[in-house]
Amino acid sequence: MSCKETGNKPSLSESTNAVSSTEKKVAQKPETATLKIDGMTCSMGCAKTIERKLTEMDGVQEAKVDFDKKEATVSFDAAVLSPEKLSETVEATADGKTYKVSDVKIKA
């Protein structure tokens, strides 16, 4: 299994700039979730795609996906999002079968 690049996708720098310029609201109930993610095969396609999907969610302050650790760390507003919704978003990325989330840990 490998990552596939398709045409008409913005480059990494374009998508990063678009996300970083987005204003985020201050979290009312800030929490940090750590999610173990199985199924990633590369850092540029898989990990960055998941990171972008998480970052685009309403209520997410910051998302970092570490390909080597197979782990995502997400700072989010618990008044807006639940850890279950974060997991669902990761697992729905790509074809909905590639990524599996386990061992979710929450730190308030």
Side-chain angles (χ1 to χ4, degrees):
M1 182 178 281
S2 65
C3 293
K4 297 176 185 168
E5 294 295 323
T6 59
N8 298 334
K9 282 188 177 181
S11 71
L12 181 60
S13 62
E14 289 171 346
S15 61
T16 302
N17 288 340
V19 171
S20 63
S21 66
T22 303
E23 293 291 324
K24 295 284 185 175
K25 294 180 181 177
V26 176
Q28 299 299 312
K29 293 174 63 178
E31 290 190 2
T32 301
T34 304
L35 302 84
K36 180 166 175 35
I37 304 172
D38 292 315
M40 293 189 293
T41 59
C42 65
S43 62
M44 291 308 291
C46 299
K48 288 298 178 191
T49 298
I50 293 169
E51 188 173 290
R52 181 177 47 81
K53 291 285 188 184
L54 290 168
T55 302
E56 290 173 348
M57 295 178 73
D58 286 336
V60 171
Q61 302 299 305
E62 180 180 34
K64 298 288 181 192
V65 178
D66 187 321
F67 172 73
D68 293 327
K69 291 182 179 181
K70 308 287 188 215
E71 184 176 273
T73 304
V74 185
S75 298
F76 67 101
D77 187 341
V80 177
L81 281 175
S82 67
E84 292 79 17
K85 186 65 178 167
L86 296 172
S87 295
E88 289 171 10
T89 298
V90 171
E91 291 182 349
T93 302
D95 61 4
K97 300 175 188 174
T98 304
Y99 309 118
K100 296 296 176 202
V101 175
S102 62
D103 197 22
V104 178
K105 297 177 182 172
I106 305 299
K107 182 177 167 185

